[in-house]
Amino acid sequence: MNRKYRRPLIAGNWKMNKTPSETREFVTGFKAMLPKLRRCDIALCVPAVCIPAAVKGARDSRIAIGAQTCSAFASGAYTGEISAAMLKDAGCKYVILGHSERRAMGETDKNIHAKLLTALDSGLTPILCCGESPEQRELGVTEPWITMQLRAALAGIPPEKLRTVVVAYEPIWAIGTGQTATPDQAESVCAHIRAVLRKQYGAKTARAVVILYGGSMNGNNAAQLLAQPDIDGGLIGGASLDPQKLLCIVEAASCEAE
Ligand code: 13P
């Protein structure tokens, strides 16, 4: 983390877990546990139906609420979809875009680009995910792959908008596997992400962008990962479902710079 230019962010991605009632219970408990000092930003990206309960529960706290995807369209005949403007109006600050689990369900770089545009237009902060498969890592094509994913998603985004985008590096082989990337592996790709942004947008803009690592992050490995200069926080799956486990990561992010 480099606190001079960026504020750390710990974001939970609940995926398809928890009901609205469980959300209420979680947020009430988690809110009460949080340290007083606001040394990092905190977000919970919850299932769409849980957003109202999460927003209500997190009121007057430092917890921001996010969604896990949004429609690529602003409005219209798209049965089952939820627009970025609806999420914003419901009280969301963030939206995860391009998660590998959604890419595996058929989401393309083109879809993700369209979603990013509508999210930014609606005033949401996108958490743009990228990451390589185990095969791609094995083949040694991680960096060109990530470059391609970033360029495709960010095509035409001006620098003032890019500053509000959060990028999450999530190696697919580390998601839900317990096989965390080593701090060196994670830093090397996060530094590459910043280099790609620097080339396109210049140093000043690139150093303002918050870059997260995601993939089996937990209370035991968070401090080491967050000590890396280009890792500004975490996107947490499994460990974000338990308030105590998530708190451990928030604490790691809060004391790293002491
Ligand atoms: P895990 O923390 O469960 O590996 O999930 C990471 C993730 O996919 C967050 O978006």
Side-chain angles (χ1 to χ4, degrees):
M1 287 190 281
N2 182 334
R3 287 176 189 271
K4 189 166 166 208
Y5 300 117
R6 306 177 287 275
R7 200 173 149 74
L9 168 65
I10 299 299
N13 173 11
W14 281 3
K15 309 189 178 183
M16 198 173 73
N17 291 292
K18 297 196 190 291
T19 61
S21 321
E22 289 165 343
T23 302
R24 215 165 307 157
E25 194 185 327
F26 181 109
V27 177
T28 312
F30 184 56
K31 198 160 79 168
M33 293 177 181
L34 287 176
K36 291 266 175 305
L37 279 178
R38 300 181 172 216
R39 297 183 60 93
C40 72
D41 290 334
I42 302 173
L44 293 175
C45 298
V46 304
V49 292
C50 300
I51 291 169
V55 167
K56 192 166 172 222
R59 203 168 285 155
D60 302 322
S61 84
R62 55 190 291 205
I63 307 167
I65 303 305
Q68 299 172 9
T69 185
C70 69
S71 171
F73 305 100
S75 65
Y78 303 102
T79 302
E81 291 288 271
I82 298 175
S83 75
M86 292 171 189
L87 296 174
K88 176 74 180 169
D89 191 65
C92 285
K93 176 171 163 58
Y94 295 95
V95 61
I96 297 174
L97 296 178
H99 193 282
S100 57
E101 288 157 12
R102 295 208 56 87
R103 292 181 192 253
M105 287 182 249
E107 202 164 275
T108 64
D109 285 311
K110 202 166 160 228
N111 298 144
I112 295 160
H113 174 61
K115 291 178 180 207
L116 194 98
L117 292 178
T118 161
L120 288 170
D121 269 355
S122 304
L124 291 173
T125 298
I127 302 179
L128 171 65
C129 300
C130 57
E132 82 286 5
S133 66
E135 295 78 17
Q136 287 167 325
R137 175 152 286 261
E138 186 77 13
L139 283 169
V141 297
T142 299
E143 291 194 359
W145 176 253
I146 302 273
T147 306
M148 188 281 293
Q149 286 187 319
L150 288 176
R151 294 232 168 102
L154 297 172
I157 304 292
E160 66 277 11
K161 293 264 184 184
L162 182 82
R163 285 165 170 272
T164 69
V165 175
V166 173
V167 179
Y169 167 54
E170 297 208 312
I172 295 170
W173 47 273
I175 296 176
T177 59
Q179 192 197 336
T180 320
T182 65
D184 282 352
Q185 282 174 325
E187 167 60 19
S188 147
V189 181
C190 290
H192 171 72
I193 291 171
R194 203 175 305 283
V196 171
L197 299 178
R198 193 181 303 121
K199 198 162 168 201
Q200 201 168 334
Y201 292 96
K204 216 167 151 199
T205 301
R207 76 182 180 209
V209 174
V210 171
I211 301 178
L212 311 180
Y213 165 78
S216 301
M217 199 192 247
N218 59 42
N220 296 326
N221 57 35
Q224 269 193 309
L225 288 159
L226 296 172
Q228 304 302 312
D230 288 293
I231 302 179
D232 307 312
L235 185 54
I236 327 292
S240 75
L241 296 172
D242 178 323
Q244 198 62 54
K245 288 185 181 166
L246 187 58
L247 178 69
C248 287
I249 302 174
V250 167
E251 282 172 344
S254 307
C255 68
E256 188 273 335
E258 304 285 345

